[in-house]
Each structure stands twice: as C-alpha cells, then as structure tokens.
Amino acid sequence: MARDSNATKARLLDAAFTEFATYGIAGARVDRIAEAAQANKRLIYVYYGNKEQLFDAVLQRALATGSESVPFEVEDLPGYAGAVFDHLVERPALMRLVLWKQLERPGSTDAESASYDGKIEAVRRAQEAGRIDAAVPAADVLTLVMGLSQAWFGAVGGPAANAAGAGWAAERLAEHRAAVVEAVRRITAPARRPAGD
C-alpha cells in the first residue's frame, strides 16, 4: 500500500507544532517529533530540510490558519481584536510558539512584513476616510490592536499558562474579551467634532 505523504506531512507538522511550542527551536528534538508523528525521522529532512526549516513551515501554517480563521477587518477593528482573542483562547499553544519565535528568531520574514504592511495601509486609508481616528499613526494603531488582543496571554495566570487553556472561568474570560474589544473601540473610534464645526 502506498504511503499517504500528505497525511505524514500533516502529522509531522502537528507534532512539530506541539514540540516547538513547548521547547522552542533550540530545545525541540527531531526524535520526539518523529515519534509523536509516528513517522520516520528521515522524512523530516526529506520534506522540510532541517529543524529550523521545519519550524518555519510550522509557523507559516499557524499564521496562515490564523489569517483564514480571523480575516483582517479594518472596518471593525474592535470585532477583529475580539476574534483574535477568541482564536488564541482556542489555541493557547499558538502564543507560546510566537513567543519562542520572537525570543529565538527576532525580526520578521518577508511574508510577515508584507502582511503587516498591507494591514497598516488599510488602517491608513480608513484614517484618511475618517473611519478610524487619525491621532495615532496607522502602524501604531495596528500594533496596539494586536498587542491588546494578545496581552492577556502573557499575563500570569492567563490561559496561555496552561496547555488546556483553562486558566480562567468563562465569566472572567468574557470580561477580558470585552475589555479588549472596548479598548480597541476607544483607540480607533473617529474623533467627534464639536457642534458647529
């Protein structure tokens, strides 16, 4: 029976995601990834090259999944921030993976930069059209939106603190999400002009 290479690749990426989110790039072990994926270690090198290239593939897939699950909505940045928050609640290991990337490989890839630049440009256009407050530069608006969406996951006792994402009760989680959405609403709402202007 022929092997299903797509299924093997998917298992390797899933196992590598868990390994990298737990141990980072330096601490991850190819042997553990292969064992968890029930695959021959050699296939990692055949499909992905070295461990760093496997990490790149894992990160790229995670970011692509995030972009598909949470499309960027410049016309509703508070809603977008809430959706990013929800995405991270459902995937607590994702924030750990991103933090490992920032620690071990600061800087961004061309694809990451292009994605961010496109979002900044969308915010800038919305500011020019008066739909988003222009008091703060577009790049800073986007950074604040993303930072607020992710802030709770670096907090002590946050859901990112345990693998099950059960760090908060449902009511507290709803309060955190509401705080994120409201904060983004306040920093992006168009400024009101005084009457008579």
Side-chain angles (χ1 to χ4, degrees):
M1 184 192 305
R3 281 186 236 168
D4 183 350
S5 63
N6 288 332
T8 302
K9 288 178 183 178
R11 288 196 318 273
L12 285 168
L13 288 174
D14 289 343
F17 178 93
T18 301
E19 181 77 6
F20 287 128
T22 303
Y23 300 103
I25 302 169
R29 296 292 172 259
V30 173
D31 290 342
R32 286 192 299 247
I33 294 169
E35 183 179 340
Q38 299 178 335
N40 186 314
K41 179 171 86 170
R42 181 181 64 79
L43 292 176
I44 291 172
Y45 300 102
V46 169
Y47 294 142
Y48 300 104
N50 59 33
K51 183 170 72 169
E52 289 75 19
Q53 290 169 311
L54 176 59
F55 179 82
D56 291 341
V58 167
L59 185 63
Q60 184 58 41
R61 183 176 81 156
L63 295 175
T65 300
S67 292
E68 291 168 11
S69 300
V70 187
F72 184 65
E73 293 288 342
V74 74
E75 300 300 327
D76 182 15
L77 288 178
Y80 173 72
V84 170
F85 181 90
D86 295 340
H87 184 74
L88 293 172
V89 167
E90 293 170 11
R91 295 160 188 81
L94 177 57
M95 199 65 213
R96 288 195 308 274
L97 182 75
V98 170
L99 291 172
W100 278 115
K101 191 266 184 200
Q102 290 173 335
L103 286 169
E104 296 185 286
R105 276 205 186 147
S108 54
T109 66
D110 290 343
E112 291 167 339
S113 293
S115 173
Y116 213 70
D117 290 346
K119 291 172 183 164
I120 291 169
E121 179 59 21
V123 171
R124 187 189 61 72
R125 286 193 309 267
Q127 286 177 317
E128 287 176 352
R131 295 187 305 274
I132 294 176
D133 190 345
V136 176
D140 294 332
V141 168
L142 183 61
T143 300
L144 288 167
V145 169
M146 297 309 297
L148 286 165
S149 302
Q150 300 168 9
W152 294 109
F153 301 92
V156 175
N162 71 47
W168 295 315
E171 301 83 30
R172 191 67 180 122
L173 194 63
E175 289 172 359
H176 292 322
R177 186 188 193 282
V180 168
V181 170
E182 178 61 15
V184 171
R185 186 194 66 73
R186 289 185 184 200
I187 64 170
T188 60
R192 293 185 183 201
R193 295 176 187 257
D197 278 3

